[in-house]
Amino acid sequence: MTETQGIETDAERDRAPGASRAHRIAVLALPGVPPFELGIPSRVFGSALDADGRPLYDVTVCTADGAPVPSDAGFTVHPAEGPEALTRADTVIIPPTHAMPELGRGGPLPPEVTAALAGIRPGTRLVSICTGSYVLAAAGLLDGRPATTHWNLAPQFRRAYPRVKVDEDVLFVDDGDVLTSAGVAAGVDLCLHLIRRDHGAAAANRAARMCVVPPWRDGGQAQFIDRPVPEPTLAGTSATRAWAMEHLGEPLSLAQLAAHARMSLRSFTRRFRDEVGMTPVQWLTAQRLELAKQLLETTDLTIDLVAHRAGFGSANSLRAHMRTAFGTSPAAYRRAFNPRSDRGIGG
């Protein structure tokens, strides 16, 4: 895979000067669908507008045979369309289902679901929310691919679909044309990630503000797996995290962070992991990468200045971190997400 594959293709297609229609999303409602997860794509993508207020996405809810399906909340979902919506979609999203226990044992999909999925055009982007990953896996669409699902079901998922590379410690997995997310709120994170991937940070941030949710949680962030709750009598690290966010461009050592929190290095590191799900160094690197991406998307600063303001010190350091985290370089990322910048400075 080249350093820009999976980034430039989506961005260039959806931001092409001659683009005349919104990106079409079909949400496949299956029996036993939870209403909250079913509504996530319509709510998040429906809040994504361009600078002139035009919708960037056209979201349609459909079923495998066009018939209504029962939700898991005691009411019936009446779809706008049937499987024909899947044949026209640019992106297909599959929310979870609580009415197909056979999938948890690696069983087959119902015939109407198999037929509906077979109508999806090659190259269509496939997305699952929570246990919607079971549907993709049962169809063989996750074989050999990295994927995630709800952490509590990961052992079962791994037994049922041993060909899938399951990672239950992340919020979502972006494998280019196939993306999977963990439970509930991680579906929101994945939808915002797709808006950002398609149209940049400004569009994703506007959609997040409309939905009143955080604009960004990296897919590699740990799921909130059940673990002992930290003692409430201990000081937290939130104030230190807020302070660090205001000083990302400065050298920040673990000792400085612990001193700000008035803890020993050992206590600070343990407390930080309990609260955030990653080490202080991992978290700090993730925040600096996020700042670097925002600067690359929204400014024409040189790569050296972006690296300096984001706290990486040098362009070489920023390049190394971005290649490790995203498989791309700062210059390639800028070309994909900041088409107004044509200087090609650095790389």
Side-chain angles (χ1 to χ4, degrees):
M1 179 178 289
T2 65
E3 65 182 15
T4 59
Q5 188 173 352
I7 295 180
E8 289 182 320
T9 299
D10 293 324
E12 289 172 355
R13 178 192 64 200
D14 290 315
R15 288 190 283 181
S20 58
R21 63 169 177 82
H23 184 103
R24 291 177 295 213
I25 296 177
V27 183
L28 179 60
L30 297 170
V33 63
F36 182 87
E37 286 90 331
L38 176 62
I40 286 173
S42 295
R43 185 69 182 91
V44 178
F45 289 108
S47 299
L49 309 174
D50 66 16
D52 296 321
R54 293 186 296 262
L56 293 171
Y57 299 90
D58 177 14
V59 184
T60 299
V61 174
C62 66
T63 58
D65 56 6
V69 296
S71 73
D72 73 347
F75 60 83
T76 300
V77 176
H78 292 265
E81 294 192 52
E84 66 277 2
L86 301 178
T87 68
R88 300 192 305 267
D90 302 305
T91 295
V92 171
I93 300 179
I94 304 179
T97 170
H98 293 162
M100 296 183 183
E102 64 277 9
L103 297 186
R105 300 185 293 270
L109 290 167
E112 68 275 13
V113 177
T114 299
L117 295 178
I120 298 174
R121 294 174 300 162
T124 300
R125 187 164 59 187
L126 302 175
V127 178
S128 69
I129 297 175
C130 195
T131 57
S133 56
Y134 280 74
V135 177
L136 294 180
L141 298 170
L142 296 182
D143 287 355
R145 287 181 176 267
T148 192
T149 191
H150 194 287
W151 64 269
N152 194 41
L153 297 173
Q156 178 196 65
F157 188 91
R158 192 173 281 110
R159 288 192 300 269
Y161 305 102
R163 295 183 179 180
V164 182
K165 301 174 183 178
V166 184
D167 185 355
E168 65 267 38
D169 293 329
V170 296
L171 294 175
F172 60 82
V173 171
D174 180 344
D175 194 36
D177 59 340
V178 178
L179 301 93
T180 54
S181 69
V184 190
V188 176
D189 296 317
L190 180 52
C191 290
L192 289 171
H193 167 74
L194 285 171
I195 297 172
R196 181 191 186 96
R197 197 177 101 169
D198 292 344
H199 298 286
N205 291 345
R206 286 195 300 267
R209 283 194 296 271
M210 289 297 295
C211 297
V212 197
V213 296
W216 176 81
R217 287 199 302 167
D218 180 64
Q221 181 174 323
Q223 293 187 36
F224 294 101
I225 299 173
D226 188 23
R227 54 169 60 93
V229 177
E231 291 293 330
T233 55
L234 296 176
T237 65
S238 59
T240 297
R241 280 181 273 131
W243 173 78
M245 290 292 289
E246 297 176 355
H247 297 83
L248 289 177
E250 304 171 16
L252 294 175
S253 67
L254 183 57
Q256 285 176 293
L257 296 174
H260 184 276
R262 298 182 180 180
M263 299 181 192
S264 68
L265 284 174
R266 183 176 179 180
S267 295
F268 176 75
T269 301
R270 183 175 62 249
R271 179 70 180 187
F272 197 101
R273 289 194 67 133
D274 286 340
E275 293 181 352
V276 181
M278 63 179 71
T279 69
V281 173
Q282 289 171 333
W283 177 86
L284 187 61
T285 299
Q287 305 313 309
R288 284 174 165 162
L289 283 170
E290 171 63 12
L291 176 57
K293 290 195 298 182
Q294 291 181 3
L295 292 172
L296 290 168
E297 292 172 10
T298 60
T299 76
D300 291 328
L301 294 174
T302 65
I303 303 300
D304 282 321
L305 280 176
V306 169
H308 177 75
R309 292 194 182 184
F312 287 104
S314 70
N316 285 338
S317 177
L318 175 60
R319 290 188 192 100
H321 278 91
M322 288 196 67
R323 194 171 295 279
T324 298
F326 311 121
T328 190
S329 70
Y333 186 90
R334 169 171 275 167
R335 286 194 298 271
F337 290 108
N338 188 353
R340 293 170 299 178
S341 176
D342 57 0
R343 297 182 183 181
I345 302 174

